[in-house]
Amino acid sequence: MTIDDSSIISTPTRLEGKYSGMVVCWILGLGSLVSWNSMLTIGDYYYQLFPKYHPSRVLTLVYQPFALATMAILVYNEARINTRKRNLTGFTLFFLSTFALLVLDLATSGAGGLGNYIGICAIVAAFGVADAFVEGGMVGDLSFMCPEFIQSYLAGLAASGALTSALRLVTKAAFERASNGLRKGVMLFLAISTFFEFLCILLYAFVFPKLPIVKYYRTKAAAEGSKTVAADLAAAGIQTEATERVCNLLLTNEFVTDFLTLTFDMLLSTEQAGANAKQLERLSNKQLFFQNIDYLLDLFLIYVLTLSIFPGFLYENTGSHKLGSWYALVLIAVYNMFDLIARYIPLIEKIKLKSRKGLMIATLSRFLFIPCFYFTAKYGDQGWMIMLVSFLGLTNGYLTVCVLTVAPQGYKGPEQNALGNLLVLCLLAGLFSGVALDWLWIIGNGKF
């Protein structure tokens, strides 16, 4: 694809659509995890249907391998993948899977049993595939745009947890005294999640690519050698506009003069072809990996720690307290709320952590949460547990945004896209490892 970049590669004085883009990115982040967070938040319903199958732990363990394996394949082929088709495929799969979860429960009348459990596991596996398509695609795409976009997207990811927790508490309260109220609340909850996924399809397909600021960054990335943005530029009308300019040129009286000028420029550009080809060269994934191994390790360790505690430990290892059946839901809601708040803290530049050494120290220090959670669950009251969960959410959200916004700086568009995908791959690897380690909490308690 040939792009006339003479007027758009230099940074314009005003990038229109920035705040609209931030809102759209926030909603797209919400849609990237709202389906999976819905599964986590209705854990109390699945514990009622499948009390012996450890749903919060098993479903998470089913989800992560599919997400990780799919992401690894996508990272390997990242430079050749159509980003637009990738993200639309992911959001569509999220929409269909969430709707299938709703249909399955309606078709079986909320029955338990191994067959229904396997069906739910299959839908959760589809969630994992969709997550790899969307999260890696969006983070890679936004990595070469302004930092506010990726921060808004990450805030939307956290907001999906906070929103689902709030909706779950509302629906539980609204239907608590009704006949079969828990199931009715879950049905309403899943219907709302399905709507959000459909909204994301529309926003990404028809709104986001046409924002002026998005056109600018994608055109800049294309000029630096990125091939993944071609379909998005076509959807924004970039190719059509170039074709129209050529057609208008043919209709003018200066066509012959312009044609001769263009031919002369092409002859001169032949001498610069080698220099341009060198300019379009990008670092390989291996080079990017080793240059940013500390950032990649940061994300891996952040989510190893978080997922070794959330959500399995909070559902099964915190005991019974005054809040009763509300206890686990409150803990999940507190984590999601503070995770969301923390993702806005790095907007304040003075307290944003940018030091590579500082990020690593902060990441490693989070492992002190493990003995804290153990002794609090064994000896502490619910107030101490709620406080610990809030700090877990704060550190998770803050460090995630710091790493993902700082790491891509200084690279060209194609390299930033590739690095964004690598960062998400390590994040998903951390999630998978954390989910596996989460089972260690129940060894020896006789409840396998």
Side-chain angles (χ1 to χ4, degrees), residues 16-17 84 203-215 218 232 234-237:
E16 296 181 356
R84 180 175 175 81
L203 286 174
Y204 187 81
F206 302 110
V207 178
F208 189 63
K210 296 182 179 180
L211 295 173
I213 186 173
V214 175
K215 290 182 183 181
R218 282 178 171 162
D232 284 303

Side-chain angles (χ1 to χ4, degrees), residues 138-145 150 404 408 416-417 419-420 423:
M138 287 301 301
V139 170
D141 200 23
L142 299 177
S143 290
F144 57 74
M145 301 186 191
I150 195 167
L404 285 173
Q416 290 172 322
N417 192 357
L419 180 56
L423 289 166

Side-chain angles (χ1 to χ4, degrees), residues 330-380:
V330 169
L331 292 178
I332 299 295
V334 168
Y335 169 84
N336 287 324
M337 180 181 67
F338 280 92
D339 185 37
L340 173 60
I341 293 171
R343 296 191 184 214
Y344 285 98
I345 295 176
L347 286 175
I348 306 172
E349 286 294 325
K350 291 183 179 180
I351 56 176
K352 181 179 180 179
L353 186 56
K354 299 179 182 179
S355 165
R356 300 178 81 139
K357 185 181 293 185
L359 285 169
M360 180 60 71
I361 293 172
T363 299
L364 293 174
S365 66
R366 292 181 80 238
F367 281 86
L368 293 173
F369 277 125
I370 293 176
C372 291
F373 271 95
Y374 174 79
F375 288 109
T376 302
K378 194 169 184 179
Y379 304 110

Side-chain angles (χ1 to χ4, degrees), residues 25-99:
C25 288
W26 190 90
I27 297 174
L28 293 175
L30 179 74
S32 299
L33 275 184
V34 70
S35 294
W36 173 237
N37 278 318
S38 297
M39 293 294 299
L40 296 180
T41 311
I42 60 177
D44 57 334
Y45 176 60
Y46 287 128
Y47 271 98
Q48 184 184 81
L49 295 183
F50 315 106
K52 297 181 180 180
Y53 295 151
H54 301 286
S56 71
R57 285 188 162 103
V58 171
L59 294 179
T60 309
L61 194 58
V62 169
Y63 177 93
Q64 296 304 334
F66 282 91
L68 182 60
T70 305
M71 190 65 210
I73 295 170
L74 292 172
V75 167
Y76 183 77
N77 298 283
E78 167 271 329
R80 300 185 295 274
I81 294 175
N82 184 319
T83 302
R84 180 175 175 81
K85 291 182 179 179
R86 172 180 176 174
N87 289 333
L88 285 176
T89 298
F91 282 122
T92 302
L93 186 56
F94 267 135
F95 168 73
L96 294 175
S97 301
T98 311
F99 185 67

Side-chain angles (χ1 to χ4, degrees), residues 251-429:
L251 296 175
T252 62
N253 294 328
E254 292 101 359
F255 169 65
V256 176
T257 303
D258 289 334
F259 176 76
L260 292 174
T261 302
L262 178 62
T263 304
F264 182 69
D265 290 341
M266 290 176 63
L267 291 173
L268 289 177
S269 65
T270 304
E271 299 176 1
Q272 301 174 355
N276 290 338
K278 186 175 182 180
Q279 183 181 1
L280 294 179
E281 288 181 0
R282 49 151 285 190
L283 296 174
S284 67
N285 285 355
K286 183 178 180 180
Q287 291 172 314
L288 289 170
F289 179 88
F290 284 109
Q291 285 185 12
N292 297 276
I293 193 167
D294 54 333
Y295 288 131
L296 299 170
L297 186 60
D298 285 338
L299 274 182
F300 176 81
L301 294 176
I302 288 168
Y303 284 88
V304 163
L305 186 279
T306 298
L307 268 290
S308 67
I309 297 170
F310 176 90
F313 177 87
L314 302 184
Y315 269 110
E316 297 186 13
N317 296 90
T318 52
S320 300
H321 296 273
K322 295 177 182 178
L323 290 172
S325 63
W326 289 79
Y327 187 46
L329 293 181
V330 169
L331 292 178
I332 299 295
V334 168
Y335 169 84
N336 287 324
M337 180 181 67
F338 280 92
D339 185 37
L340 173 60
I341 293 171
R343 296 191 184 214
Y344 285 98
I345 295 176
L347 286 175
I348 306 172
E349 286 294 325
K350 291 183 179 180
I351 56 176
K352 181 179 180 179
L353 186 56
K354 299 179 182 179
S355 165
R356 300 178 81 139
K357 185 181 293 185
L359 285 169
M360 180 60 71
I361 293 172
T363 299
L364 293 174
S365 66
R366 292 181 80 238
F367 281 86
L368 293 173
F369 277 125
I370 293 176
C372 291
F373 271 95
Y374 174 79
F375 288 109
T376 302
K378 194 169 184 179
Y379 304 110
D381 199 1
Q382 60 191 22
W384 289 102
M385 183 61 72
I386 290 172
M387 183 188 72
L388 266 183
V389 170
S390 67
F391 279 112
L392 181 70
L394 276 173
T395 54
N396 184 84
Y398 174 77
L399 291 174
T400 298
V401 172
C402 287
V403 173
L404 285 173
T405 54
V406 171
Q409 293 179 5
Y411 291 101
K412 295 187 295 186
E415 295 166 344
Q416 290 172 322
N417 192 357
L419 180 56
N421 278 269
L422 283 171
L423 289 166
V424 173
L425 177 63
C426 287
L427 186 153
L428 292 177

